[in-house]
Amino acid sequence: MMKKNVNRRNFIQTASLAAAGFYVMPFFASCKSDTSTRHPETVNKMDKDFIADLDLQLTALPSQTSIYPNSSTKTYSYKASIIKGSEDNLQNIEGSYLGPVIRVKKGDKVRVRYENQIPAESIVHWHGLHVSHENDGHPEHVISEGETYYYEFEVMNRAGTYWFHPHPHKHTGEQVYKGLAGLFIVSDKEEGKLNLPQGEYDIPVVIQDRTFNDNKQLQYLGDGEMDRMQGFLGEQILINGKIDNTLNLGANGKYRLRLLNGSNSRAYKLAWDNGEPITVFGVDGGLLEAPKKLPYLILGPAQRVDVWLDLSQQSENSRIKLVHLPIPLDMMGGGMMNGGMMGNSSSNHLPYDTQFDILEINVGAFAENNAQLPGELSSFNTLAATDAINKDNPRTFTFAMGGMMEWTINGRTYNGTEVAEEETVKLDTTEIWRINNGNQFSSDPDDDSGMMGGGMHGNGGMMGGQGGMGNMMQMPHPVHIHQLQFNILNRNADKVDDKLWEATKDGFINEGWQDSVYLLPGMQMDLIMRFEDYKGLFLYHCHNLEHEDMGMMRNFKIV
């Protein structure tokens, strides 16, 4: 059955070889009904006049992965092969269900022939990339098993670590959890002038939490509605799709760790176990102006950072660990994060309020390289609040629980291609968006007083008190805006729980270009962004994938 502009093809997949001379590290070696409709007439077909620098075949398919020794785990995987381009453009991850890593240069014209071979509708979102509506991976563009979608776009982003993953409404969490995610790494001339680590010293580190049953199979939403409401939390940490979270690096080497929080809903408070500060020199949208040293780093779902690791002071056979430090999220009033109204969770997930290991680095034989981290990394102009057309009246978006026990934005849930008046913006304008993590419990989008009352601390109100439904709403929301990178103007924590703020305040990065932020309960942030190059329909949503699948996602339209 042919659809207009959707072509069926059966491709015989071959795994592309790792780039010649490019080193691959061994361990990397109850919801509201969906009223959306399919619009096949808007789906891309291949443009014969589009001359691609890189032409890729990318297929999503069921797979079997040996995550545990002597056993096979059912997964989903993206498999890629090069039709046109260099082998340097593609890095497959040996022995992992994740990947591939796609490497491009700013200005490259890219065609991706995406074939869906999983038994469900799907589409690919290029997270963080500045592309048109047709190339963004909107849920309205989902294709069925056996269908192919053509992406054709020019890479307009700065050098940085971006990624790609599915974006079908209601099923994003499950498909990402089963393995559909990969990195999209961009380089450019500005970054190329720096002597940053390259090749085997440039290491992707994808952090995910997963749960396995006794048969070594992935277990998703084991606590059912509880996991949906709070977001899935796993029992163990996987690095780059592997249970072996060790990395063997050379003494005296200088490394670039590209960290991605690829977890469905879990945030991390990352620190070195030896007490050394963690040095960050890049975020979602590329290099910072200067490196930033932090005692620990808060990394919310979907966020990326570039971390500098200098082993010149480490002796051979020593070890360093990247650990998660405790965050008081599990104990917030006995609310949702700890069971709340749905009773005590039977899950054995890793508690937020304990320390656990993320990554262990074994320092091996001498491996000196001459990479350097300069004090000045990049020069760019951030957006000025004075240039925003709404500087005196920012658009406000409240992420909160709605009156029908739904995760909402301004009291609304996702509804296909629906766009509200306050979600329509104009091309070639700069705006401030004010996002806040409120305690709204009302079906009225204009009412943010909340039937619960009591704000963050749950005092008073119809449902106030410790452990009630008021506390159920005390949850962070990682917010992602499609199609653009924004600057953070401010982060207001006046209504954030004191203990939570004290435990996290020194781990946030407000500098640079970002596309995802971690919004604590009670927090308000002003983001400044510019709408340029493309008109059309794009998404903004909570990147807690279970919240997103439940409808905490909306469209904004550039006209």
Side-chain angles (χ1 to χ4, degrees):
M1 293 177 61
M2 295 292 290
K3 291 186 178 181
K4 183 179 179 181
N5 292 348
V6 179
N7 298 320
R8 290 184 181 273
R9 293 185 60 184
N10 290 322
F11 290 93
I12 299 176
Q13 294 305 296
T14 57
S16 67
L17 297 175
F22 184 84
Y23 185 85
V24 181
M25 295 305 298
F27 88 42
F28 199 116
S30 69
C31 298
K32 185 175 181 177
S33 61
D34 179 18
T35 58
S36 63
T37 56
R38 297 280 297 281
H39 297 278
E41 69 275 7
T42 68
V43 176
N44 275 354
K45 62 181 178 180
M46 188 161 60
D47 181 357
K48 294 180 180 179
D49 295 327
F50 182 85
I51 308 300
D53 299 297
L54 174 63
D55 194 335
L56 282 179
Q57 171 64 34
L58 183 70
T59 303
L61 71 169
S63 54
Q64 298 275 347
T65 307
S66 296
I67 298 176
Y68 284 89
N70 304 317
S71 64
S72 182
T73 301
K74 294 179 181 179
T75 52
Y76 286 163
S77 295
Y78 287 128
K79 300 299 181 184
S81 58
I82 298 173
I83 296 172
K84 177 185 177 183
S86 166
E87 290 183 347
D88 293 343
N89 293 123
L90 195 62
Q91 173 189 355
N92 283 318
I93 308 168
E94 185 67 29
S96 172
Y97 59 80
L98 291 181
V101 178
I102 300 172
R103 292 179 178 267
V104 300
K105 299 186 298 294
K106 182 178 181 179
D108 280 354
K109 291 186 176 180
V110 177
R111 175 185 290 125
V112 179
R113 309 168 188 229
Y114 168 62
E115 184 179 3
N116 179 21
Q117 288 295 350
I118 64 171
E121 291 184 331
S122 194
I123 197 68
V124 177
H125 168 52
W126 305 95
H127 187 117
L129 293 191
H130 181 56
V131 294
S132 67
H133 163 70
E134 292 80 11
N135 288 294
D136 189 53
H138 193 282
E140 73 160 325
H141 290 154
V142 293
I143 58 174
S144 300
E145 182 179 8
E147 293 181 340
T148 294
Y149 191 97
Y150 293 93
Y151 296 90
E152 294 171 337
F153 56 87
E154 179 180 343
V155 178
M156 302 176 71
N157 288 66
R158 304 171 68 229
T161 305
Y162 307 91
W163 64 305
F164 57 97
H165 59 78
H167 221 298
H169 183 42
K170 293 187 178 182
H171 301 288
T172 296
E174 178 185 8
Q175 292 183 15
V176 172
Y177 186 78
K178 288 184 175 181
L180 294 182
L183 291 174
F184 192 95
I185 295 176
V186 179
S187 60
D188 64 15
K189 292 181 180 178
E190 180 186 38
E191 184 181 270
K193 294 177 181 178
L194 302 176
N195 186 21
L196 295 175
Q198 299 180 24
E200 64 183 289
Y201 299 94
D202 181 356
I203 306 174
V205 178
V206 181
I207 306 170
Q208 296 173 312
D209 58 336
R210 295 290 184 262
T211 293
F212 297 88
N213 63 21
D214 293 340
N215 296 321
K216 309 302 183 186
Q217 300 302 310
L218 286 165
Q219 182 174 309
Y220 182 57
L221 300 182
D223 286 330
E225 200 61 28
M226 174 64 194
D227 278 347
R228 291 185 189 278
M229 294 300 292
Q230 74 172 12
F232 179 87
L233 298 173
E235 296 178 5
Q236 67 182 95
I237 299 299
L238 272 64
I239 297 295
N240 298 333
K242 300 187 178 185
I243 56 172
D244 180 7
N245 65 346
T246 59
L247 180 59
N248 298 313
L249 302 181
N252 213 47
K254 300 174 181 65
Y255 294 87
R256 176 182 193 163
L257 303 183
R258 297 180 185 261
L259 271 56
L260 160 66
N261 181 351
S263 299
N264 279 36
S265 73
R266 184 187 292 276
Y268 299 94
K269 180 180 178 180
L270 301 174
W272 297 116
D273 70 336
N274 61 6
E276 292 291 324
I278 188 165
T279 301
V280 175
F281 63 95
V283 289
D284 295 343
L287 295 175
L288 297 172
E289 290 184 310
K292 189 176 181 68
K293 290 189 175 184
L294 306 166
Y296 55 83
L297 169 70
I298 300 297
L299 193 67
Q303 290 186 301
R304 291 88 64 206
V305 291
D306 291 289
V307 170
W308 176 262
L309 177 61
D310 184 351
L311 298 180
S312 60
Q313 303 301 314
Q314 299 297 321
S315 59
E316 191 172 338
N317 298 322
S318 62
R319 293 186 178 186
I320 308 172
K321 286 185 179 180
L322 185 67
V323 299
H324 165 83
L325 297 179
I327 309 176
L329 280 172
D330 287 297
M331 304 305 293
M332 294 184 65
M336 267 304 294
M337 303 302 288
N338 212 31
M341 64 170 289
M342 296 182 186
N344 293 324
S345 171
S346 61
S347 173
N348 294 317
H349 70 254
L350 293 167
Y352 266 115
D353 59 348
T354 59
Q355 179 173 322
F356 52 82
D357 294 348
I358 300 293
L359 176 68
E360 182 174 306
I361 294 170
N362 296 326
V363 183
F366 195 77
E368 183 177 11
N369 59 329
N370 63 356
Q372 295 180 343
L373 183 65
E376 295 182 6
L377 289 160
S378 178
S379 177
F380 54 84
N381 294 321
T382 54
L383 298 172
T386 53
D387 291 335
I389 61 172
N390 64 340
K391 58 181 178 294
D392 298 322
N393 187 29
R395 293 179 192 262
T396 300
F397 300 96
T398 297
F399 290 72
M401 176 65 73
M404 299 299 293
M405 297 301 294
E406 296 172 314
W407 291 115
T408 70
I409 306 174
N410 282 358
R412 301 183 179 94
T413 55
Y414 180 72
N415 190 12
T417 57
E418 176 184 277
V419 182
E421 182 178 354
E422 76 261 24
E423 296 170 323
T424 302
V425 301
K426 292 184 178 181
L427 188 68
D428 295 326
T429 61
T430 299
E431 286 198 2
I432 298 172
W433 283 16
R434 178 166 293 164
I435 60 173
N436 65 75
N437 187 341
N439 285 332
Q440 182 173 318
F441 194 84
S442 169
S443 59
D444 180 0
D446 298 319
D447 177 16
D448 61 359
S449 60
M451 291 172 62
M452 296 304 184
M456 262 297 298
H457 300 282
N459 297 320
M462 188 180 80
M463 297 283 185
Q466 298 297 308
M469 281 197 293
N471 287 318
M472 182 185 63
M473 296 181 297
Q474 295 181 11
M475 290 197 61
H477 293 298
V479 177
H480 171 49
I481 303 176
H482 283 219
Q483 202 260 353
L484 51 79
Q485 298 286 323
F486 51 74
N487 301 134
I488 297 173
L489 291 178
N490 58 64
R491 189 187 297 265
N492 187 326
D494 290 348
K495 295 183 180 179
V496 176
D497 177 81
D498 290 341
K499 290 183 179 179
L500 179 58
W501 181 238
E502 281 300 313
T504 57
K505 63 183 177 66
D506 295 325
F508 292 105
I509 299 176
N510 294 324
E511 295 84 0
W513 292 97
Q514 308 194 36
D515 56 57
S516 304
V517 292
Y518 194 56
L519 196 65
L520 293 175
M523 180 174 282
Q524 177 177 285
M525 297 178 66
D526 283 352
L527 314 176
I528 186 167
M529 62 203 73
R530 184 164 179 81
F531 309 102
E532 53 189 0
D533 300 315
Y534 302 112
K535 294 184 289 186
L537 203 65
F538 301 94
L539 297 167
Y540 68 105
H541 58 87
C542 176
H543 216 284
N544 177 323
L545 297 183
E546 285 67 55
H547 291 182
E548 172 187 329
D549 283 342
M550 293 180 72
M552 200 174 213
M553 175 169 69
R554 293 287 302 175
N555 294 299
F556 70 96
K557 188 174 184 179
I558 305 175
V559 299

